[in-house]
Amino acid sequence: MDISNQIKKRRTDMGLSQEELAERIYVSRQTISNWETDKTYPDIQSLLMLSVLFDTTIDVLVKGDLEMMEKTVASADAKKMRTLGIGMYALLVLMIPFALVGIALWGALGVLLGLVPWAASMVVGVMVERMKVENDVQTFREVLAFTKGEAIDRSTRSSRAIARQAKMKKAFGEKPLWQAIVRGLGIGIAAVVLGATVGYASAMLLDMPLPF
């Protein structure tokens, strides 16, 4: 970690031994040794005393570590997003065999069994949208760069994309996960009902046979 290098360099620049530094901030020499070898990490009180002694700020001391942690978290989120994305598409594909099995078992109404993987895909989709909001990625190009661990260029966003990101943040990023999932499922169910109603009405108008 960068804090270990910071402590060691600043200590040697001041001409202090580990024992002398330990005495100045009221810790043991072994504690200093552990910090400089990345075995342990200074607590907030020690960081404050180190920043005063080294005439710098805590932000400067831990900046490298924060950047590394942010990259690690982003990398983990990118991997999770890829996995969730694959899972979502897999669930959507499963709608067809589920619906066919339902029809074989219970007739025309068995098609509703296909809604099980669909509902699961909606839950996964909400989780993906939440991660997109948390990592400030919105367009397909940004998502692709994020999942590959590449730099994200947000300067080319259109006003429409910016507005959509704000809307998605309000809908999925600022609510508890369960509320976001309920909202997503509600929107999805409303879309399914609307689609079924339009399909039924169109079939009636065109005098087409219905499956039920």
Side-chain angles (χ1 to χ4, degrees):
M1 292 186 180
D2 187 61
I3 187 67
S4 60
N5 297 325
Q6 288 266 15
I7 294 174
K8 186 173 183 179
K9 183 180 183 305
R10 292 174 184 273
R11 174 180 64 77
T12 54
D13 287 347
M14 292 180 66
L16 298 174
S17 65
Q18 289 185 343
E19 187 173 352
E20 289 171 332
L21 176 59
E23 290 177 353
R24 292 202 180 192
I25 61 172
Y26 309 106
V27 296
S28 67
R29 187 206 63 79
Q30 186 60 47
T31 297
I32 301 296
S33 176
N34 289 340
W35 290 346
E36 293 185 355
T37 55
D38 283 339
K39 290 182 179 179
T40 58
Y41 200 91
D43 58 29
I44 187 64
Q45 182 177 354
S46 297
L47 282 173
L48 180 60
M49 297 183 72
L50 286 169
S51 67
V52 173
L53 179 62
F54 294 150
D55 192 24
T56 186
T57 64
I58 293 179
D59 288 344
V60 171
L61 286 176
V62 303
K63 181 179 179 181
D65 292 336
L66 290 176
E67 291 174 351
M68 182 182 69
M69 291 175 187
E70 287 174 356
K71 289 180 180 178
T72 300
V73 171
S75 177
D77 281 352
K79 184 177 181 180
K80 185 176 180 180
M81 185 182 290
R82 286 196 299 270
T83 302
L84 289 174
I86 293 171
M88 182 175 66
Y89 289 121
L91 287 167
L92 289 174
V93 170
L94 286 174
M95 286 178 60
I96 297 174
F98 267 60
L100 292 176
V101 170
I103 292 172
L105 292 175
W106 302 298
L109 289 179
V111 72
L112 297 176
L113 187 62
L115 294 179
V116 174
W118 170 83
S121 73
M122 289 295 296
V123 172
V124 174
V126 169
M127 295 172 68
V128 171
E129 287 297 331
R130 194 178 181 88
M131 293 185 68
K132 286 168 62 179
V133 168
E134 290 174 350
N135 291 280
D136 192 23
V137 291
Q138 204 268 323
T139 65
F140 177 76
R141 182 175 297 177
E142 291 174 0
V143 172
L144 189 61
F146 177 72
T147 55
K148 290 182 176 180
E150 299 173 353
I152 301 172
D153 181 13
R154 299 181 176 89
S155 62
T156 58
R157 281 184 181 175
S158 64
S159 57
R160 183 177 180 181
I162 294 173
R164 183 178 185 278
Q165 180 72 347
K167 185 177 180 180
M168 297 303 286
K169 182 178 181 180
K170 184 177 181 180
F172 298 106
E174 297 179 353
K175 299 178 181 295
L177 182 58
W178 71 269
Q179 287 187 12
I181 290 174
V182 170
R183 178 188 175 89
L185 285 173
I187 293 173
I189 291 171
V192 169
V193 171
L194 178 61
T197 302
V198 171
Y200 183 84
S202 299
M204 293 292 291
L205 288 173
L206 298 174
D207 196 25
M208 295 173 62
L210 296 171
F212 51 84

